Amino acid sequence: MISLIPKAGIQISIIILLFILTLIIASQRLSASIPQIKGWTGPSKGQNKAPVAPTPIAAEDIFIISNFTAGVPKPPGSNYTRALVVPRLRQERVDWINELDDIKKEIYVVDDPNSLPRIPKNKGREAMVYLTYLIDNYDNLPEIMIFMHAHREAWHHEEPLNRDAAEMVKRLSLERVVRNGFVNLRCDWTPGCPGWIHPHTTQENSEKPEEASVLKGWTDIFPSIPIPGVIGGQCCAEFALSRERAQAVPREHLIYYRDWLLRTNLVDYYSGRVWEYLWHIIFTGQYVYCPAERVCFCDGYGLCFDDDQPFLELKKLGNILYGLRLELDHWRKKEQEVASAKKERNFTALAKMEVPKMSRKQQVEQEIRQKGAIFNELKNAAFARGQDPRVRARIAGRPWKEGDGF
């Protein structure tokens, strides 16, 4: 076969190839000698050097801020930028959030590592999400942030608000959030107030098994701060923050708190519960923070009573109604189980089932109608009363002048 390339051409090609290989090897050696910065993808526009990582904060440098100042609401009729921060599991439905207008939805799917926004690790329950949101958005926070769980209905939601998360968000007074800085979305003192956690106790309490974990958490997080004798605040880790109050806590502190969640050997249940009783301390500087229930309902949601007697009557009726509805749900479930077993002709299962007591079921339904009518009458009158900003101010014990609004 006759070669189409002269021998001289072959030699030149080999020389060029060797030269290119030499350049590649030199480039790789140079690259290997340069320290690589994790998470940095190169300078952005107008940036010529890598960002400096935040200096880790030592445990002894952590302090609890207590010199918060009250915020001043905008003039009546003004709008506020808001965000709703919610952790959820993939199988949890959060359709109720779509009912809320004019609020940014920040939904963290904690068991999906590919979802956005993202958390560093699914650990510490809602505390990991809340802290991550504040850290990642620290310099661009909205004026109001509402931190809630994914479930729409829950036992710890308030009966006068239909135990409905969406209604709680809709009725929440943004002015109260601005004034107070931190507002627990639960008003009822049970559980949590006035003195729920006693970190020094040596006796285990089945009603609050997290008590010992709070002691461990406190000594880990605040080793140089004396352990308080009592900690109290409404449960259950759902609250609202103003931007000013959130930014009053240094971002480095928030990072430190999240680092504790990442490294603690407490199981999720307990590390999350530790933070349930720390939020009010971090954002109010008070070990016991228990606003009066009647004030909380009135100034917070517009459900106003002039004195305790009708308010306590409403609370009592609400608790009774909740118990009756649970009982009614029980009997309805039994009805469905019996009907299903009959349809499948599963006589063995039928013999073991609790047969619904129709007379009791009808009695429960009647009680719900009767007590519900009284409850709704009291509730509707209270909401009507709360439409007057002067009433809210008077019950809350704060000054008010014409034009102040809520």
Side-chain angles (χ1 to χ4, degrees):
M1 181 179 292
I2 300 173
S3 174
L4 298 178
I5 304 175
K7 290 183 178 180
I10 294 174
Q11 292 174 347
I12 293 172
S13 298
I14 293 173
I15 292 170
I16 293 172
L17 181 61
L18 289 172
F19 178 71
I20 292 172
L21 287 172
T22 302
L23 288 177
I24 292 172
I25 292 170
S27 174
Q28 289 177 338
R29 287 178 177 174
L30 178 62
S31 175
S33 68
I34 299 174
Q36 299 300 303
I37 302 170
K38 292 183 178 180
W40 187 56
T41 57
S44 59
K45 186 176 181 180
Q47 180 183 0
N48 296 318
K49 59 182 180 179
V52 178
T55 304
I57 189 167
E60 57 270 20
D61 293 330
I62 286 291
F63 55 91
I64 296 172
I65 298 173
S66 59
N67 58 341
F68 296 112
T69 56
V72 179
K74 294 180 181 181
S78 300
N79 294 322
Y80 292 87
T81 56
R82 299 183 299 160
L84 177 66
V85 182
V86 175
R88 58 164 286 215
L89 299 171
R90 275 180 286 195
Q91 74 268 22
E92 285 185 298
R93 297 187 61 179
V94 289
D95 299 351
W96 61 272
I97 294 175
N98 297 328
E99 298 178 15
L100 305 173
D101 298 323
D102 302 321
I103 188 168
K104 187 176 182 182
K105 287 89 170 177
E106 299 280 3
I107 314 300
Y108 290 74
V109 185
V110 297
D111 56 348
D112 182 358
N114 297 317
S115 68
L116 293 174
R118 189 172 297 157
I119 54 175
K121 189 175 183 180
N122 184 14
K123 192 169 185 270
R125 299 205 171 181
E126 71 275 338
M128 180 64 72
V129 168
Y130 294 177
L131 288 169
T132 296
Y133 172 81
L134 291 169
I135 292 166
D136 291 350
N137 298 278
Y138 192 83
D139 294 324
N140 297 289
L141 294 172
E143 292 168 300
I144 302 289
M145 291 146 282
I146 303 172
F147 299 86
M148 299 191 81
H149 302 156
H151 40 247
R152 178 170 196 156
E153 295 181 7
W155 67 266
H156 56 80
H157 290 167
E158 303 293 1
E159 183 68 27
L161 300 170
N162 299 318
R163 300 190 187 271
D164 183 349
E167 185 166 353
M168 291 169 69
V169 173
K170 291 174 184 177
R171 288 190 177 273
L172 178 66
S173 168
L174 305 183
E175 291 83 1
R176 179 172 173 83
V177 178
V178 171
R179 277 192 298 269
N180 290 18
F182 172 90
V183 171
N184 196 314
L185 299 185
R186 180 169 170 83
C187 294
D188 197 305
W189 276 19
T190 306
C193 286
W196 181 249
I197 298 294
H198 297 81
H200 293 282
T201 188
T202 56
Q203 294 182 340
E204 187 173 334
N205 188 330
S206 59
E207 291 186 359
K208 41 184 175 178
E210 68 275 10
E211 206 160 38
S213 299
V214 172
L215 173 61
K216 173 175 171 47
W218 188 278
T219 54
D220 284 350
I221 300 169
F222 306 113
S224 60
I225 300 176
I227 302 166
V230 63
I231 294 174
Q234 287 102 327
C235 82
C236 293
E238 292 188 315
F239 56 89
L241 275 180
S242 70
R243 178 170 58 203
E244 288 71 21
R245 183 58 56 90
Q247 291 178 336
V249 177
R251 183 172 181 267
E252 291 76 13
H253 286 205
L254 300 172
I255 293 171
Y256 169 83
Y257 298 144
R258 188 177 67 178
D259 285 347
W260 177 82
L261 271 180
L262 289 168
R263 71 175 187 268
T264 183
N265 58 9
L266 288 174
V267 297
D268 272 13
Y269 176 81
Y270 288 115
S271 62
R273 292 297 288 272
V274 166
W275 271 95
E276 182 176 332
Y277 295 101
L278 290 185
W279 294 119
H280 71 272
I281 298 175
I282 300 302
F283 292 115
T284 72
Q286 300 181 42
Y287 295 148
V288 177
Y289 186 73
C290 296
E293 293 180 357
R294 187 159 61 88
V295 172
C296 175
F297 274 113
C298 181
D299 201 34
Y301 295 107
L303 184 84
C304 297
F305 291 88
D306 285 313
D307 53 64
D308 286 336
Q309 192 275 327
F311 170 69
L312 294 175
E313 183 181 352
L314 182 86
K315 272 193 65 178
K316 181 179 178 181
L317 278 171
N319 290 333
I320 292 172
L321 283 168
Y322 182 61
L324 288 171
R325 285 200 303 273
L326 290 178
E327 184 179 352
L328 184 60
D329 288 343
H330 168 78
W331 293 122
R332 285 174 175 169
K333 183 179 178 181
K334 292 299 177 185
E335 279 184 338
Q336 292 172 356
E337 290 174 354
V338 169
S340 177
K342 285 181 178 178
K343 184 178 180 180
E344 297 171 2
R345 301 181 66 81
N346 189 343
F347 301 111
T348 303
L350 273 172
K352 298 177 181 178
M353 284 183 179
E354 181 183 8
V355 179
K357 300 176 182 178
M358 296 307 297
S359 59
R360 176 55 187 164
K361 177 174 174 288
Q362 292 167 353
Q363 182 184 355
V364 169
E365 290 173 335
Q366 184 178 6
E367 285 188 57
I368 289 175
R369 286 192 296 269
Q370 292 174 343
K371 296 184 186 303
I374 301 171
F375 180 85
N376 288 331
E377 184 178 351
L378 287 169
K379 181 179 76 170
N380 293 337
F383 275 131
R385 203 174 295 117
Q387 292 300 307
D388 188 340
R390 293 171 297 181
V391 171
R392 294 199 195 189
R394 174 168 51 79
I395 291 175
R398 55 181 170 81
W400 187 91
K401 63 181 184 299
E402 198 65 41
D404 274 356
F406 293 111

